[in-house]
Amino acid sequence: MALARLAPLVVISAFAALLVGCTSAPPYSPRVESAPAPPADAVELPEGSVEAALEALPDTVARILDESGVPGAAVAVVSDEELLFAQGFGVRRVGDDAAVDDDTVFQVASMSKPIGATVVATQVSDGVVGWDSPVAPLLPGVVLADAWVTERLTVGDLYAHRSGLPMAAGDDLEDIGYGRDYILEHLRLEPLSPFRSTYHYANFGMTMGAQAVANAAGAEWEDLSDQALYEPLGMDSTSSRYDDFVAHDNRAALHAKIDGAFEPRYERVPDAQSPAGGVSSNVVDLARWMSLVIGEGTFAGDELIAPADLLAATSPHIVAAPPGAPTMRAGSYGFGFNVGSQPSGRTTLGHSGAFTLGAGTNFTIVPALGLGVVALTNGGPVGAAEAIVTEFLDRVQFGEPTRDWLEAYGGALAHYYAPAGDLADAGAPASPAPSPALENLAGTWSNDYFGPAEVEVAGGVATVRLGPDGGYSFELEPWDGDVFAFVPTGENAPDGSLSSATFTFGDGAAGGDRMTLQFFDANRLGTWTRG
């Protein structure tokens, strides 16, 4: 997930972790089978509920894909190290007959976070770093706005989203084409909220923590992920590099929701934030990873992670979703994992992932039952993945779904498709003031955070170019006097987005000219100067 409007999805991820059911029934759950009864604080499972839920799962997935319009999905269920279910549904790409199967590779978006946290846990167990290791010595040249915070900031702080960085810090730099090094170096300009007491979901905050760990290990993050996790688990189709994803013939295309239908219109290259959103995998590989988490760091008899080091990641460290009423359960965040409780009283671990450009994913683990479920889809976030996982676990816990989960999650995620920008819902002025001559806008404009902007005028059109080599561009349209309109594009700009560019012209004594691009000004960093 790499959206500047990400916080609500975090709430939904926590919501998914809180509301999923719990499961267990012989012969699928050795842990509960060996006990005479469920714990006193847990709802007893209906007899045969696991088998019944597995039997209903194909129809559940097919129905949710049909109702949502999502083109394809793959789903897996694991009990401890036993793969109970792995199956694909639908097609990899609209307009192509190639079917999704259990080997189809998907971009998992923010499910990369708990996977990456597992990589970090291996390094904690190997003595390379600790969750409480300060990151400053490991990241030369990378600081935050407050020197006191920079000195005390740890790997765990960044993996718990409690650094004080604002929500989605750095995502706007990725949107216009900058790479990881530039983004991490410029987080120093982001305003900070109170340290360790504020939860703000930040892809590049977590990426900062991962980069510190990789530096401590003397390896690139992508190589470290291979060596420490993917290869030992036999996750042969999993990678943290986009090039490896596109090298697979059996891969799912992204499908964005446009005018109510899913279209394979975009690509999403998340290498800059790979530790937070750049993993690609299939459900068979992810079942192995879930088994490792269920096994408290041990898989196939080999201990990759000491139980205490993984427990640190799967324990709550900050409230991520405060309850809106006394009757509601809160959602917490560990180190890369959403941690919640459910009606049964059992703890759940989980995470969702989303690209509005075309991916929706979810997994949930019920550790007490040794059960994990993962759903990967190739459609933008409409709640399909969450609904598949939650309905399955409802059937396990209660024998039937407790509500229409697709409708519930779809409504909660609908904001992702709301157009962005201050002019999106504004009608054009009836009597606009005359705009300045376009030639007055031309030239190079400076910004410490975003870098230079070039405004070029040709053929009666003013074009703004941002990012490396001016690769992100848009045209300015007169709106009202010194205010122009432009259409932003990318992960953070659904169809219909429209934002303002406001020009203020001064003299040298007044500090020169200013250009404020509202779409890029969420943290008051979106003003460029000239002269």
Side-chain angles (χ1 to χ4, degrees):
M1 217 173 290
L3 306 180
R5 302 166 335 144
L6 192 52
L9 185 57
V10 180
V11 174
I12 291 305
S13 301
F15 182 60
L18 292 170
L19 296 186
V20 290
C22 52
T23 68
S24 173
Y28 301 110
S29 187
R31 298 178 185 216
V32 175
E33 183 181 10
S34 64
D41 62 348
V43 173
E44 187 171 359
L45 306 181
E47 184 177 355
S49 62
V50 174
E51 298 95 323
L54 288 168
E55 184 177 354
L57 187 52
D59 288 341
T60 297
V61 179
R63 171 175 47 79
I64 288 173
L65 291 185
D66 181 63
E67 292 179 3
S68 67
V70 170
V75 181
V77 181
V78 65
S79 176
D80 291 318
E81 293 185 12
E82 182 181 2
L83 184 62
L84 304 183
F85 184 95
Q87 188 173 328
F89 302 83
V91 297
R92 302 177 213 161
R93 183 183 183 91
V94 167
D96 192 327
D97 293 334
V100 175
D101 58 31
D102 59 5
D103 285 327
T104 301
V105 175
F106 291 74
Q107 291 179 269
V108 306
S110 275
M111 270 182 55
S112 305
K113 292 177 173 66
I115 294 169
T118 315
V119 174
V120 175
T122 68
Q123 301 308 290
V124 175
S125 291
D126 289 348
V128 175
V129 294
W131 288 111
D132 59 355
S133 292
V135 298
L138 302 172
L139 293 169
V142 176
V143 300
L144 298 187
D146 187 308
W148 187 91
V149 172
T150 299
E151 182 182 354
R152 289 160 177 79
L153 187 68
T154 67
V155 172
D157 291 327
L158 292 162
Y159 265 83
H161 298 302
R162 64 185 189 192
S163 66
L165 283 167
M167 186 262 291
D171 284 7
D172 44 13
L173 294 176
E174 183 192 27
D175 283 348
I176 64 175
Y178 285 112
R180 188 183 307 171
D181 290 345
Y182 181 96
I183 296 170
L184 296 185
E185 289 169 3
H186 285 75
L187 292 180
R188 71 183 188 277
L189 299 173
E190 295 277 10
L192 297 179
S193 296
F195 182 46
R196 290 184 181 158
S197 63
T198 309
Y199 174 88
H200 287 316
Y201 191 95
N203 291 305
F204 283 98
M206 189 170 288
T207 299
M208 179 187 292
Q211 189 62 55
V213 174
N215 289 352
E220 297 296 324
W221 172 260
E222 295 75 10
D223 294 334
L224 179 63
S225 299
D226 287 340
Q227 297 159 9
L229 186 65
Y230 307 153
E231 292 171 6
L233 286 184
M235 298 172 68
D236 297 333
S237 295
T238 303
S239 177
S240 295
R241 303 176 189 84
Y242 182 75
D243 283 349
D244 291 341
F245 167 70
V246 296
H248 285 278
D249 291 330
N250 186 1
R251 69 179 186 275
L254 298 181
H255 294 80
K257 190 176 183 182
I258 300 171
D259 295 329
F262 286 97
E263 299 181 17
R265 186 176 294 188
Y266 304 109
E267 293 186 357
R268 176 71 168 89
V269 184
D271 284 345
Q273 57 157 282
S274 176
V279 173
S280 58
S281 189
N282 62 29
V283 293
V284 175
D285 279 7
L286 292 174
R288 288 173 171 262
W289 167 69
M290 289 192 297
S291 290
L292 175 72
V293 177
I294 293 168
E296 300 179 44
T298 294
F299 181 79
D302 294 328
E303 184 179 275
L304 272 69
I305 306 168
D309 299 330
L310 186 56
L311 179 62
T314 60
S315 298
H317 293 288
I318 192 165
V319 175
T327 56
M328 295 177 64
R329 295 182 301 280
S332 298
Y333 208 82
F335 295 148
F337 287 82
N338 280 306
V339 184
S341 60
Q342 52 185 309
S344 69
R346 296 185 175 98
T347 297
T348 52
L349 310 173
H351 216 290
S352 286
F355 293 147
T356 57
L357 299 183
T361 64
N362 179 263
F363 85 95
T364 300
I365 290 172
V366 187
L369 302 177
L371 190 79
V373 190
V374 60
L376 308 178
T377 76
N378 60 354
V382 293
E386 291 86 353
I388 290 166
V389 169
T390 308
E391 181 167 326
F392 172 78
L393 292 173
D394 259 6
R395 290 184 183 278
V396 170
Q397 180 178 11
F398 304 112
E400 61 183 6
T402 59
R403 65 186 298 180
D404 184 337
W405 287 110
L406 181 61
E407 180 181 27
Y409 282 115
L413 295 173
H415 68 279
Y416 275 101
Y417 299 98
D422 58 323
L423 301 182
D425 297 321
S431 301
S435 298
L438 296 183
E439 287 71 19
N440 292 345
L441 314 181
T444 300
W445 300 73
S446 300
N447 181 294
D448 290 340
Y449 180 74
F450 288 101
E454 295 289 339
V455 180
E456 301 172 353
V457 177
V461 176
T463 301
V464 179
R465 301 189 184 279
L466 307 177
D469 301 318
Y472 183 100
S473 65
F474 51 83
E475 296 180 357
L476 298 177
E477 294 289 339
W479 183 264
D480 190 10
D482 292 336
V483 178
F484 289 74
F486 70 94
V487 177
T489 57
E491 179 74 26
N492 295 318
D495 277 4
S497 296
L498 189 67
S499 185
S500 65
T502 302
F503 292 84
T504 303
F505 300 98
D507 54 31
D513 304 332
R514 292 186 298 164
M515 173 181 69
T516 298
L517 304 179
Q518 182 273 338
F519 182 75
F520 296 102
D521 198 38
N523 294 320
R524 301 295 184 263
L525 297 172
T527 295
W528 282 254
T529 60
R530 181 183 64 177

